[in-house]
Coordinates of all heavy atoms in Angstrom, one line a residue:
M224 N -6.5 -6.2 17.1 CA -6.6 -6.9 15.9 C -5.3 -7.5 15.5 O -4.3 -6.8 15.4 CB -7.1 -6.0 14.8 CG -7.3 -6.7 13.4 SD -8.1 -5.6 12.2 CE -6.8 -4.5 11.8
E225 N -5.3 -8.8 15.3 CA -4.0 -9.4 14.9 C -3.8 -9.3 13.4 O -4.7 -9.5 12.6 CB -4.0 -10.9 15.3 CG -2.7 -11.6 15.0 CD -2.8 -13.1 15.4 OE1 -3.6 -13.4 16.3 OE2 -2.1 -13.9 14.7
T226 N -2.6 -8.9 13.0 CA -2.2 -8.8 11.6 C -1.3 -10.0 11.3 O -0.3 -10.2 11.9 CB -1.5 -7.5 11.4 OG1 -2.3 -6.4 11.8 CG2 -1.2 -7.3 9.9
K227 N -1.6 -10.7 10.2 CA -0.8 -11.8 9.8 C 0.4 -11.2 9.1 O 0.4 -10.2 8.4 CB -1.6 -12.7 8.8 CG -2.5 -13.6 9.4 CD -2.9 -14.7 8.5 CE -3.6 -15.8 9.2 NZ -3.9 -17.0 8.4
K228 N 1.5 -11.9 9.3 CA 2.8 -11.5 8.7 C 2.8 -11.9 7.2 O 2.3 -12.9 6.8 CB 3.9 -12.2 9.4 CG 5.3 -11.6 9.2 CD 5.6 -10.6 10.2 CE 7.0 -10.1 10.0 NZ 7.2 -8.8 10.3
L229 N 3.3 -10.9 6.4 CA 3.5 -11.2 5.0 C 4.4 -12.4 4.9 O 5.5 -12.5 5.4 CB 4.2 -10.0 4.3 CG 4.5 -10.0 2.8 CD1 3.1 -10.1 2.1 CD2 5.2 -8.7 2.4
S230 N 4.0 -13.5 4.2 CA 4.7 -14.7 4.2 C 5.9 -14.7 3.3 O 6.0 -14.0 2.3 CB 3.8 -15.9 3.8 OG 3.5 -15.8 2.4
E231 N 6.9 -15.5 3.7 CA 8.1 -15.7 2.9 C 7.8 -16.3 1.6 O 8.4 -15.9 0.6 CB 9.1 -16.6 3.7 CG 10.0 -15.9 4.7 CD 10.8 -14.7 4.1 OE1 11.4 -14.9 3.0 OE2 10.8 -13.6 4.7
S232 N 6.9 -17.2 1.5 CA 6.5 -17.8 0.2 C 5.9 -16.8 -0.7 O 6.2 -16.9 -1.9 CB 5.6 -19.1 0.4 OG 4.4 -18.7 1.1
L233 N 5.1 -15.9 -0.2 CA 4.6 -14.9 -1.1 C 5.7 -13.9 -1.5 O 5.7 -13.5 -2.7 CB 3.5 -14.1 -0.3 CG 2.8 -12.9 -1.1 CD1 2.2 -13.4 -2.4 CD2 1.8 -12.2 -0.2
L234 N 6.6 -13.6 -0.6 CA 7.7 -12.7 -1.0 C 8.5 -13.2 -2.1 O 9.0 -12.5 -2.9 CB 8.6 -12.5 0.3 CG 8.4 -11.1 1.0 CD1 9.3 -11.1 2.2 CD2 8.6 -10.0 0.1
Q235 N 8.6 -14.5 -2.1 CA 9.5 -15.2 -3.1 C 8.9 -15.1 -4.5 O 9.6 -15.2 -5.5 CB 9.8 -16.6 -2.8 CG 10.7 -16.7 -1.6 CD 10.9 -18.2 -1.1 OE1 10.4 -19.1 -1.7 NE2 11.7 -18.3 -0.1
I236 N 7.6 -14.9 -4.6 CA 7.0 -14.8 -6.0 C 6.6 -13.4 -6.4 O 6.3 -13.1 -7.6 CB 5.7 -15.7 -6.1 CG1 4.7 -15.3 -5.1 CG2 6.1 -17.2 -6.0 CD1 3.4 -16.0 -5.3
L237 N 6.7 -12.4 -5.5 CA 6.4 -11.1 -5.8 C 7.6 -10.4 -6.5 O 8.7 -10.7 -6.2 CB 6.1 -10.2 -4.6 CG 4.8 -10.6 -3.9 CD1 4.6 -9.8 -2.6 CD2 3.6 -10.3 -4.8
V238 N 7.3 -9.6 -7.5 CA 8.4 -8.9 -8.2 C 8.0 -7.5 -8.4 O 6.9 -7.1 -8.2 CB 8.6 -9.5 -9.6 CG1 9.2 -10.9 -9.6 CG2 7.4 -9.4 -10.5
C239 N 9.0 -6.6 -8.6 CA 8.8 -5.2 -8.8 C 7.9 -5.0 -10.1 O 8.2 -5.5 -11.1 CB 10.2 -4.5 -9.0 SG 10.0 -2.8 -9.4
P240 N 6.8 -4.3 -9.9 CA 6.0 -4.1 -11.1 C 6.6 -3.2 -12.2 O 6.2 -3.2 -13.3 CB 4.7 -3.4 -10.5 CG 5.2 -2.8 -9.2 CD 6.3 -3.7 -8.7
R241 N 7.7 -2.5 -11.9 CA 8.4 -1.7 -12.9 C 9.3 -2.5 -13.7 O 9.5 -2.3 -14.9 CB 9.1 -0.5 -12.2 CG 8.1 0.5 -11.6 CD 9.0 1.6 -11.0 NE 8.1 2.8 -10.6 CZ 7.7 3.0 -9.4 NH1 8.0 2.2 -8.4 NH2 7.0 4.1 -9.2
D242 N 10.1 -3.4 -13.1 CA 11.2 -4.0 -13.8 C 11.2 -5.5 -13.6 O 12.1 -6.2 -14.1 CB 12.5 -3.4 -13.5 CG 12.7 -3.3 -12.0 OD1 12.3 -4.2 -11.2 OD2 13.3 -2.3 -11.5
R243 N 10.3 -6.1 -12.8 CA 10.2 -7.5 -12.6 C 11.4 -8.1 -11.8 O 11.7 -9.3 -11.9 CB 9.9 -8.3 -13.9 CG 8.6 -7.8 -14.5 CD 8.1 -8.6 -15.6 NE 7.7 -9.9 -15.2 CZ 6.5 -10.2 -14.6 NH1 5.7 -9.3 -14.3 NH2 6.3 -11.5 -14.2
E244 N 12.1 -7.2 -11.1 CA 13.2 -7.7 -10.3 C 12.7 -8.3 -9.0 O 11.6 -7.9 -8.6 CB 14.2 -6.6 -10.0 CG 15.0 -6.0 -11.2 CD 16.0 -7.0 -11.7 OE1 16.5 -7.8 -10.9 OE2 16.4 -7.0 -12.9
P245 N 13.4 -9.2 -8.3 CA 12.9 -9.7 -7.0 C 12.8 -8.6 -6.0 O 13.5 -7.6 -6.1 CB 13.9 -10.7 -6.7 CG 15.2 -10.4 -7.4 CD 14.7 -9.7 -8.7
L246 N 12.0 -8.8 -5.0 CA 11.8 -7.8 -3.9 C 12.3 -8.4 -2.6 O 12.2 -9.6 -2.3 CB 10.3 -7.4 -3.8 CG 9.7 -6.7 -5.0 CD1 8.2 -6.7 -4.9 CD2 10.3 -5.3 -5.1
E247 N 12.8 -7.5 -1.8 CA 13.3 -7.8 -0.5 C 12.7 -6.9 0.5 O 12.4 -5.7 0.3 CB 14.9 -7.6 -0.5 CG 15.5 -7.7 0.9 CD 17.0 -7.2 0.8 OE1 17.6 -7.5 -0.3 OE2 17.4 -6.7 1.8
R248 N 12.3 -7.5 1.7 CA 11.7 -6.7 2.7 C 12.7 -5.9 3.5 O 13.7 -6.5 3.9 CB 10.9 -7.5 3.7 CG 10.2 -6.7 4.7 CD 9.2 -7.5 5.5 NE 8.4 -6.5 6.3 CZ 7.2 -6.7 6.7 NH1 6.6 -7.8 6.4 NH2 6.6 -5.8 7.3
R249 N 12.5 -4.6 3.6 CA 13.4 -3.7 4.4 C 12.4 -2.9 5.3 O 11.9 -1.9 4.8 CB 14.2 -2.8 3.6 CG 15.3 -3.5 2.9 CD 16.4 -2.6 2.3 NE 17.1 -3.3 1.2 CZ 17.6 -2.7 0.2 NH1 17.5 -1.4 0.0 NH2 18.2 -3.4 -0.7
G250 N 12.2 -3.4 6.5 CA 11.3 -2.7 7.4 C 9.9 -2.7 6.9 O 9.3 -3.7 6.6
S251 N 9.4 -1.5 6.7 CA 8.0 -1.3 6.2 C 7.9 -1.2 4.7 O 6.9 -0.7 4.2 CB 7.4 -0.1 6.9 OG 7.3 -0.3 8.2
F252 N 8.9 -1.6 4.0 CA 8.9 -1.5 2.5 C 9.4 -2.8 1.9 O 10.1 -3.6 2.4 CB 9.9 -0.4 2.0 CG 9.4 1.0 2.4 CD1 9.8 1.6 3.6 CD2 8.6 1.7 1.5 CE1 9.4 2.9 3.9 CE2 8.2 3.0 1.8 CZ 8.6 3.6 3.0
L253 N 8.9 -3.0 0.6 CA 9.5 -4.0 -0.3 C 10.4 -3.2 -1.2 O 9.9 -2.2 -1.8 CB 8.4 -4.8 -1.0 CG 7.6 -5.8 -0.2 CD1 6.6 -6.5 -1.1 CD2 8.4 -6.8 0.6
V254 N 11.6 -3.6 -1.4 CA 12.5 -2.9 -2.2 C 13.1 -3.8 -3.3 O 13.5 -4.9 -3.0 CB 13.6 -2.3 -1.3 CG1 14.6 -1.5 -2.1 CG2 13.0 -1.5 -0.1
C255 N 13.3 -3.3 -4.5 CA 14.0 -4.0 -5.5 C 15.4 -3.6 -5.6 O 15.8 -2.5 -5.1 CB 13.2 -3.9 -6.9 SG 13.7 -2.5 -7.9
P256 N 16.3 -4.3 -6.3 CA 17.7 -4.0 -6.4 C 17.9 -2.6 -7.1 O 18.9 -2.0 -6.9 CB 18.3 -5.1 -7.3 CG 17.4 -6.2 -7.1 CD 16.0 -5.6 -6.9
C257 N 16.9 -2.1 -7.9 CA 17.1 -0.8 -8.6 C 16.6 0.3 -7.7 O 16.7 1.5 -8.1 CB 16.2 -0.8 -9.9 SG 16.7 -2.1 -11.0
G258 N 16.1 0.0 -6.5 CA 15.8 1.1 -5.5 C 14.3 1.5 -5.5 O 13.9 2.3 -4.7
H259 N 13.5 0.8 -6.3 CA 12.0 1.1 -6.2 C 11.5 0.5 -4.9 O 11.9 -0.6 -4.5 CB 11.3 0.4 -7.4 CG 11.8 0.9 -8.7 ND1 12.2 0.0 -9.7 CD2 11.9 2.2 -9.2 CE1 12.5 0.7 -10.8 NE2 12.4 2.0 -10.5
D260 N 10.7 1.3 -4.2 CA 10.2 0.8 -3.0 C 8.6 0.9 -2.9 O 8.0 1.7 -3.5 CB 10.8 1.5 -1.8 CG 10.5 3.0 -1.7 OD1 9.8 3.5 -2.7 OD2 10.9 3.7 -0.8
Y261 N 8.1 -0.1 -2.2 CA 6.6 -0.2 -2.1 C 6.2 -0.4 -0.6 O 6.7 -1.3 0.1 CB 6.1 -1.4 -2.9 CG 6.6 -1.3 -4.3 CD1 7.8 -1.9 -4.7 CD2 5.9 -0.5 -5.2 CE1 8.3 -1.7 -6.0 CE2 6.4 -0.3 -6.5 CZ 7.6 -1.0 -6.9 OH 8.1 -0.8 -8.2
P262 N 5.4 0.5 -0.1 CA 5.1 0.4 1.3 C 4.2 -0.8 1.7 O 3.5 -1.3 0.8 CB 4.2 1.7 1.6 CG 3.7 2.2 0.3 CD 4.7 1.6 -0.7
I263 N 4.4 -1.3 2.9 CA 3.6 -2.4 3.4 C 2.7 -1.9 4.5 O 3.2 -1.4 5.5 CB 4.5 -3.5 3.9 CG1 5.5 -4.0 2.9 CG2 3.7 -4.7 4.4 CD1 6.6 -4.9 3.4
V264 N 1.4 -1.9 4.3 CA 0.5 -1.4 5.2 C -0.3 -2.6 5.9 O -1.0 -3.3 5.1 CB -0.5 -0.4 4.6 CG1 -1.6 0.0 5.6 CG2 0.2 0.7 4.0
E265 N -0.1 -2.8 7.1 CA -0.7 -3.9 7.9 C -0.5 -5.2 7.1 O -1.4 -6.0 6.9 CB -2.2 -3.6 8.1 CG -2.4 -2.4 9.1 CD -3.8 -2.2 9.5 OE1 -4.7 -2.8 8.9 OE2 -4.0 -1.4 10.5
E266 N 0.8 -5.4 6.7 CA 1.2 -6.6 6.0 C 0.7 -6.7 4.6 O 0.8 -7.8 4.0 CB 1.0 -7.8 6.8 CG 1.8 -7.8 8.2 CD 3.3 -7.5 7.9 OE1 3.9 -8.4 7.2 OE2 3.8 -6.5 8.4
V267 N 0.1 -5.7 4.0 CA -0.4 -5.7 2.6 C 0.5 -4.8 1.8 O 0.6 -3.6 2.0 CB -1.8 -5.3 2.5 CG1 -2.3 -5.3 1.0 CG2 -2.7 -6.2 3.3
P268 N 1.3 -5.4 0.8 CA 2.1 -4.5 0.0 C 1.3 -3.7 -0.9 O 0.3 -4.1 -1.5 CB 3.0 -5.5 -0.8 CG 2.5 -6.8 -0.6 CD 1.4 -6.8 0.5
V269 N 1.7 -2.4 -1.1 CA 0.9 -1.5 -2.0 C 1.8 -1.2 -3.2 O 2.9 -0.6 -3.1 CB 0.7 -0.1 -1.2 CG1 -0.1 0.8 -2.1 CG2 -0.2 -0.4 0.0
F270 N 1.3 -1.7 -4.3 CA 2.1 -1.6 -5.6 C 1.6 -0.5 -6.5 O 1.9 -0.6 -7.7 CB 2.1 -3.0 -6.3 CG 2.9 -4.0 -5.6 CD1 2.3 -5.1 -5.0 CD2 4.3 -3.9 -5.6 CE1 3.1 -6.1 -4.4 CE2 5.1 -4.9 -4.9 CZ 4.4 -6.0 -4.3
L271 N 0.9 0.5 -6.0 CA 0.5 1.6 -6.8 C 1.7 2.4 -7.2 O 2.7 2.6 -6.4 CB -0.5 2.5 -6.0 CG -1.8 1.8 -5.7 CD1 -2.6 2.6 -4.7 CD2 -2.6 1.5 -6.9
L272 N 1.8 2.9 -8.4 CA 2.9 3.6 -8.9 C 2.6 5.1 -9.0 O 1.7 5.5 -9.9 CB 3.3 3.1 -10.3 CG 3.6 1.5 -10.4 CD1 3.9 1.1 -11.8 CD2 4.7 1.1 -9.4
E273 N 3.3 5.9 -8.2 CA 2.9 7.3 -8.2 C 3.3 8.1 -9.5 O 2.7 9.1 -9.8 CB 3.6 8.0 -7.0 CG 5.1 8.0 -6.9 CD 5.6 6.8 -6.3 OE1 5.0 6.2 -5.4 OE2 6.7 6.3 -6.6
D274 N 4.2 7.5 -10.2 CA 4.6 8.2 -11.5 C 3.8 7.8 -12.7 O 4.1 8.2 -13.8 CB 6.1 7.9 -11.7 CG 6.5 6.4 -11.7 OD1 5.8 5.7 -11.1 OD2 7.4 6.1 -12.4
K275 N 2.8 7.0 -12.5 CA 1.9 6.6 -13.6 C 0.5 7.2 -13.4 O 0.1 7.5 -12.3 CB 1.7 5.1 -13.6 CG 3.0 4.3 -13.8 CD 3.6 4.5 -15.1 CE 4.9 3.6 -15.3 NZ 5.6 4.0 -16.5
E276 N -0.1 7.5 -14.6 CA -1.5 8.0 -14.5 C -2.4 6.9 -13.9 O -2.3 5.8 -14.3 CB -2.0 8.3 -15.9 CG -3.3 8.9 -15.9 CD -3.8 9.3 -17.4 OE1 -2.9 9.3 -18.3 OE2 -5.0 9.5 -17.5
Q277 N -3.2 7.3 -12.9 CA -4.0 6.4 -12.2 C -5.3 6.2 -12.9 O -5.9 7.1 -13.5 CB -4.3 6.9 -10.8 CG -3.0 7.0 -10.0 CD -2.2 5.8 -9.8 OE1 -2.7 4.7 -9.7 NE2 -0.9 5.9 -9.8
T278 N -5.8 5.0 -13.0 CA -7.1 4.7 -13.7 C -8.3 4.7 -12.7 O -9.4 4.7 -13.2 CB -7.0 3.3 -14.4 OG1 -6.6 2.3 -13.4 CG2 -5.9 3.3 -15.5
I279 N -8.0 4.7 -11.4 CA -9.2 4.9 -10.5 C -8.9 6.0 -9.6 O -7.7 6.3 -9.2 CB -9.4 3.6 -9.7 CG1 -8.2 3.1 -8.9 CG2 -9.9 2.5 -10.6 CD1 -8.5 1.9 -8.0
A280 N -9.9 6.8 -9.2 CA -9.7 8.0 -8.5 C -9.1 7.8 -7.1 O -8.4 8.7 -6.7 CB -11.1 8.7 -8.4
I281 N -9.3 6.7 -6.5 CA -8.9 6.6 -5.1 C -7.4 6.1 -5.0 O -6.8 6.1 -4.0 CB -9.7 5.6 -4.3 CG1 -9.8 4.2 -5.0 CG2 -11.1 6.1 -4.2 CD1 -10.5 3.1 -4.2
A282 N -6.8 5.8 -6.2 CA -5.4 5.3 -6.1 C -4.4 6.3 -5.5 O -3.6 5.9 -4.7 CB -5.0 4.9 -7.5
K283 N -4.6 7.5 -5.9 CA -3.6 8.5 -5.4 C -3.7 8.7 -3.9 O -2.7 8.7 -3.2 CB -3.8 9.9 -6.1 CG -2.8 10.9 -5.8 CD -2.9 12.1 -6.6 CE -1.8 13.1 -6.3 NZ -1.9 14.4 -6.9
E284 N -5.0 8.7 -3.4 CA -5.2 8.8 -2.0 C -4.7 7.6 -1.3 O -4.1 7.7 -0.2 CB -6.7 9.1 -1.7 CG -7.1 9.1 -0.2 CD -6.5 10.3 0.6 OE1 -6.0 11.2 -0.1 OE2 -6.6 10.3 1.8
S285 N -4.9 6.4 -1.8 CA -4.4 5.2 -1.2 C -2.9 5.2 -1.1 O -2.4 4.8 0.0 CB -4.9 4.0 -2.1 OG -6.3 3.9 -2.0
L286 N -2.2 5.6 -2.1 CA -0.8 5.6 -2.1 C -0.3 6.7 -1.1 O 0.7 6.4 -0.3 CB -0.2 5.9 -3.5 CG 1.3 5.8 -3.6 CD1 1.8 4.5 -3.1 CD2 1.8 6.1 -5.0
T287 N -0.9 7.8 -1.0 CA -0.5 8.9 -0.1 C -0.7 8.4 1.3 O 0.2 8.5 2.2 CB -1.4 10.1 -0.3 OG1 -1.2 10.6 -1.6 CG2 -1.1 11.2 0.7
V288 N -1.8 7.8 1.7 CA -2.1 7.3 3.0 C -1.1 6.1 3.3 O -0.6 6.1 4.5 CB -3.5 6.8 3.2 CG1 -3.8 6.1 4.5 CG2 -4.4 8.0 3.1
A289 N -0.8 5.3 2.4 CA 0.1 4.2 2.6 C 1.5 4.7 3.0 O 2.2 4.2 3.9 CB 0.2 3.3 1.4
R290 N 2.0 5.7 2.2 CA 3.3 6.3 2.5 C 3.3 7.0 3.9 O 4.3 6.9 4.6 CB 3.7 7.2 1.4 CG 4.0 6.4 0.1 CD 5.3 6.8 -0.6 NE 5.5 6.0 -1.7 CZ 6.5 5.1 -1.8 NH1 7.3 4.9 -0.8 NH2 6.7 4.4 -2.9
Q291 N 2.3 7.7 4.2 CA 2.2 8.3 5.5 C 2.2 7.3 6.6 O 2.8 7.5 7.6 CB 0.9 9.2 5.6 CG 1.0 10.4 4.7 CD -0.3 11.2 4.6 OE1 -1.4 10.7 5.0 NE2 -0.3 12.4 4.1
F292 N 1.4 6.2 6.4 CA 1.3 5.2 7.4 C 2.7 4.6 7.7 O 3.1 4.4 8.9 CB 0.4 4.1 6.9 CG 0.2 3.0 7.9 CD1 -0.8 3.1 8.9 CD2 0.9 1.8 7.8 CE1 -1.0 2.0 9.8 CE2 0.7 0.7 8.7 CZ -0.2 0.9 9.7
V293 N 3.5 4.2 6.7 CA 4.8 3.6 7.0 C 5.8 4.6 7.6 O 6.8 4.2 8.1 CB 5.4 2.9 5.7 CG1 4.5 1.7 5.3 CG2 5.6 3.9 4.6
Q294 N 5.5 5.9 7.4 CA 6.4 6.9 8.0 C 5.9 7.3 9.4 O 6.4 8.2 10.0 CB 6.4 8.1 7.1 CG 7.2 7.9 5.8 CD 7.0 9.0 4.7 OE1 6.2 9.9 4.9 NE2 7.6 8.8 3.6
G295 N 4.9 6.6 9.9 CA 4.5 6.7 11.3 C 3.3 7.6 11.5 O 2.9 7.9 12.6
T296 N 2.6 8.0 10.4 CA 1.4 8.8 10.6 C 0.2 7.9 10.2 O -0.1 7.7 9.1 CB 1.4 10.0 9.7 OG1 2.6 10.8 9.9 CG2 0.2 10.9 9.9
P297 N -0.5 7.4 11.2 CA -1.6 6.5 10.9 C -2.8 7.4 10.3 O -2.9 8.6 10.6 CB -2.0 6.0 12.3 CG -1.5 7.0 13.3 CD -0.3 7.6 12.7
P298 N -3.7 6.7 9.6 CA -4.8 7.4 9.1 C -5.8 7.9 10.2 O -5.6 7.4 11.3 CB -5.5 6.4 8.2 CG -5.1 5.1 8.8 CD -3.7 5.3 9.3
E299 N -6.7 8.8 9.9 CA -7.6 9.3 10.9 C -8.4 8.2 11.5 O -8.8 8.2 12.6 CB -8.5 10.4 10.3 CG -7.8 11.7 10.0 CD -8.7 12.8 9.5 OE1 -9.9 12.6 9.6 OE2 -8.1 13.7 8.9
D300 N -8.7 7.2 10.7 CA -9.5 6.1 11.2 C -8.8 4.8 10.8 O -8.1 4.7 9.8 CB -10.9 6.0 10.7 CG -10.9 5.8 9.2 OD1 -10.7 6.7 8.4 OD2 -11.1 4.6 8.8
R301 N -8.9 3.8 11.6 CA -8.1 2.6 11.4 C -8.6 1.7 10.2 O -7.9 0.8 9.9 CB -8.1 1.7 12.7 CG -9.5 1.3 13.1 CD -9.4 0.6 14.5 NE -9.0 -0.8 14.3 CZ -9.8 -1.9 14.4 NH1 -11.1 -1.7 14.6 NH2 -9.3 -3.1 14.2
F302 N -9.7 2.1 9.6 CA -10.2 1.4 8.5 C -9.8 2.0 7.1 O -10.3 1.6 6.1 CB -11.7 1.1 8.6 CG -12.1 0.3 9.8 CD1 -12.8 0.9 10.8 CD2 -11.7 -1.0 9.8 CE1 -13.1 0.1 11.9 CE2 -12.0 -1.8 11.0 CZ -12.7 -1.2 12.0
F303 N -9.0 3.1 7.2 CA -8.5 3.7 6.0 C -9.7 4.2 5.1 O -9.6 4.1 3.9 CB -7.6 2.8 5.2 CG -6.4 2.4 5.9 CD1 -6.4 1.3 6.8 CD2 -5.2 3.1 5.8 CE1 -5.2 0.9 7.5 CE2 -4.0 2.7 6.4 CZ -4.1 1.6 7.3
T304 N -10.7 4.7 5.7 CA -11.9 5.0 4.9 C -11.7 6.2 3.9 O -12.4 6.3 2.9 CB -13.1 5.4 5.7 OG1 -12.8 6.4 6.6 CG2 -13.6 4.2 6.5
S305 N -10.6 7.0 4.1 CA -10.3 8.1 3.2 C -9.9 7.5 1.8 O -9.9 8.2 0.8 CB -9.2 9.0 3.7 OG -8.0 8.4 3.8
T306 N -9.5 6.2 1.8 CA -9.1 5.7 0.6 C -10.2 5.0 -0.2 O -10.0 4.3 -1.2 CB -7.9 4.6 0.8 OG1 -8.5 3.5 1.5 CG2 -6.8 5.3 1.6
L307 N -11.4 5.1 0.3 CA -12.6 4.4 -0.3 C -13.3 5.3 -1.3 O -14.2 4.8 -2.0 CB -13.5 3.9 0.8 CG -12.9 2.9 1.8 CD1 -14.0 2.5 2.8 CD2 -12.5 1.7 1.1
G308 N -13.1 6.6 -1.3 CA -13.7 7.4 -2.3 C -15.2 7.8 -1.9 O -16.0 8.0 -2.8
I309 N -15.5 7.7 -0.6 CA -16.8 8.1 -0.2 C -16.8 9.3 0.7 O -15.8 9.5 1.4 CB -17.5 6.9 0.6 CG1 -16.7 6.5 1.8 CG2 -17.8 5.8 -0.4 CD1 -17.4 5.4 2.6
N310 N -17.8 10.1 0.7 CA -17.8 11.3 1.6 C -18.3 11.1 3.0 O -18.8 10.0 3.3 CB -18.6 12.5 0.9 CG -20.1 12.2 0.7 OD1 -20.6 11.5 1.6 ND2 -20.7 12.6 -0.4
A311 N -18.3 12.1 3.8 CA -18.6 11.9 5.2 C -20.1 11.5 5.4 O -20.4 10.6 6.2 CB -18.4 13.2 6.0
A312 N -21.0 12.0 4.6 CA -22.4 11.6 4.7 C -22.6 10.2 4.4 O -23.4 9.4 5.0 CB -23.3 12.5 3.8
E313 N -21.9 9.7 3.3 CA -22.0 8.3 2.9 C -21.4 7.4 4.0 O -21.9 6.3 4.2 CB -21.3 8.1 1.6 CG -22.0 8.7 0.4 CD -21.2 8.8 -0.9 OE1 -19.9 8.8 -0.8 OE2 -21.8 8.8 -1.9
K314 N -20.3 7.8 4.6 CA -19.7 7.0 5.7 C -20.7 6.9 6.8 O -20.9 5.8 7.4 CB -18.5 7.7 6.2 CG -17.3 7.6 5.3 CD -16.1 8.3 6.0 CE -15.1 8.7 5.0 NZ -14.0 9.5 5.6
K315 N -21.4 8.0 7.2 CA -22.3 7.9 8.3 C -23.6 7.1 8.0 O -24.0 6.3 8.9 CB -22.7 9.4 8.6 CG -23.4 9.5 10.0 CD -23.6 11.0 10.3 CE -24.1 11.1 11.7 NZ -24.2 12.5 12.1
S316 N -24.1 7.2 6.8 CA -25.3 6.5 6.5 C -25.1 5.0 6.0 O -25.9 4.2 6.1 CB -26.1 7.2 5.4 OG -25.4 7.1 4.1
G317 N -23.9 4.8 5.5 CA -23.6 3.5 5.0 C -24.1 3.3 3.6 O -24.0 2.3 3.0
A318 N -24.8 4.4 3.0 CA -25.4 4.3 1.7 C -24.5 4.9 0.7 O -23.7 5.8 1.0 CB -26.7 4.9 1.7
R319 N -24.6 4.6 -0.6 CA -23.8 5.2 -1.6 C -24.8 5.8 -2.6 O -25.8 5.3 -2.8 CB -23.0 4.2 -2.4 CG -21.9 3.7 -1.5 CD -20.5 3.7 -2.0 NE -20.2 5.0 -2.8 CZ -19.1 5.1 -3.5 NH1 -18.3 4.1 -3.6 NH2 -18.8 6.2 -4.2
Ligands
ZN469 ZN1 12.2 -2.1 -9.5

């Protein structure tokens, strides 16, 4: 599967969600001048904030998997289904 590269034009308009500072790519992260970092998973930046109360149940799992992914631990399946909030039976049947 080919992954498109995060474009320079998109990078120029993205800002840190905490302080609205510009972001710079450093390896598998977008980083702001204040040191906040956001993992990039398959060229998709993940802007979930671990220090904020999450409003959807899957956000914490999504952020955990994203951080593990950029640290070299891929998810159990390549479609990141653990971040979808469905159980094993639902995955197998395709029903919710
Ligand atoms: Zn920041």
Side-chain angles (χ1 to χ4, degrees):
M224 181 173 73
E225 182 181 332
T226 302
K227 282 195 166 186
K228 194 93 177 146
L229 183 61
S230 75
E231 276 301 315
S232 57
L233 179 59
L234 256 179
Q235 290 176 2
I236 60 172
L237 292 175
V238 295
C239 177
R241 290 181 168 100
D242 49 37
R243 304 192 62 78
E244 292 288 336
L246 294 165
E247 172 187 326
R248 184 171 189 149
R249 289 194 201 146
S251 298
F252 290 92
L253 293 180
V254 182
C255 88
C257 302
H259 301 126
D260 63 355
Y261 305 93
I263 302 169
V264 177
E265 296 187 346
E266 297 305 301
V267 177
V269 178
F270 288 112
L271 296 168
L272 305 178
E273 62 272 331
D274 55 331
K275 300 292 182 191
E276 183 179 345
Q277 301 300 326
T278 55
I279 57 173
I281 59 173
K283 188 173 181 186
E284 175 69 8
S285 294
L286 185 56
T287 298
V288 171
R290 293 229 176 247
Q291 290 171 346
F292 182 83
V293 296
Q294 290 167 357
T296 306
E299 288 182 18
D300 67 279
R301 60 186 281 256
F302 297 112
F303 298 85
T304 55
S305 69
T306 66
L307 298 177
I309 57 177
N310 65 34
E313 289 168 333
K314 286 181 199 173
K315 194 171 185 174
S316 72
R319 292 228 45 188

